Amino acid sequence: MTRQRILAFLIFLLAGQAWAQGLLPRLGEQRAGTASMTFLKIGVGARAAAMGGAYVAMANDASATYWNPAGLVQIGRNELVVSHLDWLVDVDFEYLGYVHQLTRTIGLGGFVGYLHFADMPVTTEYHPYGNGDYFSYNDLVAGVSASLKMTDRFSCGITVKYVHEQLAELQMGGVLLDLGTYYWTGYKTLRIAAAMRNFGNDIGPEGTYMRRKSGGETETAWQSFSPPTLFTLGAAMDLFQRSSHLLTGSVQMNHPMDDQENLLLGCEYRYRTLFFLRGGYRANMDENRWTFGAGAKFILKGVHLKIDYAYADYTHLSMSQQFTFGFEF
């Protein structure tokens, strides 16, 4: 059985490498731009962002409420995480998450995320620089997560979340689900995880608008679109360990419902659980292929304080930075 697991993992890595080299076709590009609530695709947590998002099999902190709810029971401690993302074109994303270990086999979590930017002037044909009025745009996600460790090796989890978007006077919202699994194979530190995120009904703005036709105007309902549902499969394993040094690698394959499939690779170097260096590569991406970051962990009056930073550069857009503070107790 162990040989079969090792062989399956090697085939998985080789397939990922072939994809990264462009030997496999790029599928799903025709679906780009067909989903609503796309802010849900923005990764949470500087540690995960620095590893290129290859985090479904690494999620063992409070950001697991976003990446894989099955990882909540992998933390082992209660944790509060606060994250700030300087996103593109002056957009900011704030995230607050908390995980509580109810028992050794049950973990519960709650979170809230808020994406926003400064109010923008209303422009018209006759006032291209603004008519004196302003409009706002923001996104909100809030929910609860639960994780159950069914055996020493296998855990599963679920997240129920409410999402809301407002653009000027238009509003829309809905309830979505996340499902996840986490499995330790028994071969060294190899673990395999899978998750489905943002599953739910189509979402569209409330109300109606007047649509112009050749015969006049008719009252028409706004069109609804599916949320950005994403299926992920990943694996992670410690590649090198000696004395105070530890190097962990992670690989993940994504199947989004509104874009092409992509492969993510990440690595993390740890020195004495005090300092961390991280990097990631995102194959099949036209923007933001490389990511980098660092972190540190301290103990202050019995509380484990974690500080993480992630940097991502975009080819045609500005760079983004993410800062995350975690408190374990």
Side-chain angles (χ1 to χ4, degrees):
M1 186 65 180
T2 301
R3 292 182 179 179
Q4 294 176 351
R5 292 171 182 168
I6 297 174
L7 180 60
F9 183 63
L10 291 176
I11 294 175
F12 182 72
L13 292 179
L14 291 175
Q17 184 178 5
W19 199 334
Q21 298 298 325
L23 299 181
L24 298 181
R26 295 173 55 157
L27 305 175
E29 290 181 317
Q30 69 277 8
R31 300 192 299 263
T34 60
S36 60
M37 298 292 181
T38 55
F39 82 99
L40 295 172
K41 299 162 67 173
I42 300 176
V44 170
R47 183 189 180 201
M51 298 182 66
Y55 207 65
V56 68
M58 293 282 293
N60 60 353
D61 53 30
S63 68
T65 53
Y66 172 87
W67 298 98
N68 184 358
L72 299 183
V73 292
Q74 305 296 328
I75 302 173
R77 301 169 62 95
N78 303 327
E79 182 176 4
L80 174 69
V81 64
V82 180
S83 185
H84 169 76
L85 170 62
D86 290 327
W87 194 233
L88 307 174
V89 293
D90 296 327
V91 177
D92 294 326
F93 186 50
E94 325 296 342
Y95 192 87
L96 174 67
Y98 174 72
V99 172
H100 184 78
Q101 302 300 319
L102 191 62
T103 67
R104 295 183 59 183
T105 59
I106 300 177
L108 302 177
F111 60 92
V112 58
Y114 183 64
L115 182 141
H116 61 97
F117 58 80
D119 291 349
M120 298 182 65
V122 177
T123 60
T124 65
E125 180 181 359
Y126 301 103
H127 300 87
Y129 299 103
N131 62 1
D133 296 330
Y134 289 82
F135 73 93
S136 62
Y137 170 83
N138 60 76
D139 289 299
L140 173 71
V141 56
V144 292
S145 302
S147 180
L148 173 65
K149 183 179 289 186
M150 303 184 69
T151 69
D152 293 339
R153 296 185 179 181
F154 179 79
S155 64
C156 59
I158 183 173
T159 294
V160 181
K161 56 190 175 184
Y162 172 75
V163 293
H164 181 269
E165 182 171 280
Q166 178 175 355
L167 173 60
E169 298 179 354
L170 297 178
Q171 300 186 50
M172 61 181 180
V175 177
L176 303 177
L177 293 178
D178 295 351
L179 301 172
T181 60
Y182 203 104
Y183 178 65
W184 292 84
T185 65
Y187 173 71
K188 295 186 177 180
T189 59
L190 176 63
R191 55 269 199 195
I192 298 175
M196 178 182 66
R197 303 203 303 261
N198 309 321
F199 177 77
N201 295 327
D202 292 356
I203 302 175
E206 301 173 355
T208 60
Y209 71 101
M210 300 306 296
R211 181 180 180 184
R212 292 183 179 181
K213 292 185 177 180
S214 57
E217 293 185 346
T218 58
E219 187 175 3
T220 306
W222 294 97
Q223 186 175 358
S224 298
F225 294 91
S226 62
T229 305
L230 174 69
F231 300 90
T232 64
L233 174 64
M237 187 173 68
D238 296 339
L239 304 177
F240 173 83
Q241 184 173 12
R242 179 177 298 176
S243 184
S244 303
H245 307 277
L246 176 66
L247 179 65
T248 303
S250 178
V251 59
Q252 180 174 314
M253 300 184 73
N254 291 344
H255 177 74
M257 301 304 294
D258 64 328
D259 205 346
Q260 65 183 3
E261 290 75 10
N262 53 78
L263 170 75
L264 310 178
L265 302 173
C267 65
E268 178 183 68
Y269 165 74
R270 186 184 76 185
Y271 175 72
R272 289 189 176 180
T273 68
L274 296 176
F275 302 103
F276 304 83
L277 292 176
R278 306 180 180 105
Y281 177 75
R282 299 154 58 89
N284 257 24
M285 294 285 189
D286 295 328
E287 296 278 347
N288 182 216
R289 292 193 175 186
W290 295 96
T291 58
F292 306 93
K297 186 174 182 178
F298 311 95
I299 301 179
L300 181 62
K301 295 184 178 180
V303 176
H304 293 250
L305 172 62
K306 299 188 296 184
I307 303 175
D308 295 310
Y309 169 80
Y311 170 87
D313 192 13
Y314 290 77
T315 305
H316 300 96
L317 299 171
S318 61
M319 59 86 177
S320 68
Q321 300 181 90
Q322 188 162 182
F323 303 86
T324 301
F325 300 90
F327 307 88
E328 293 183 355
F329 52 92

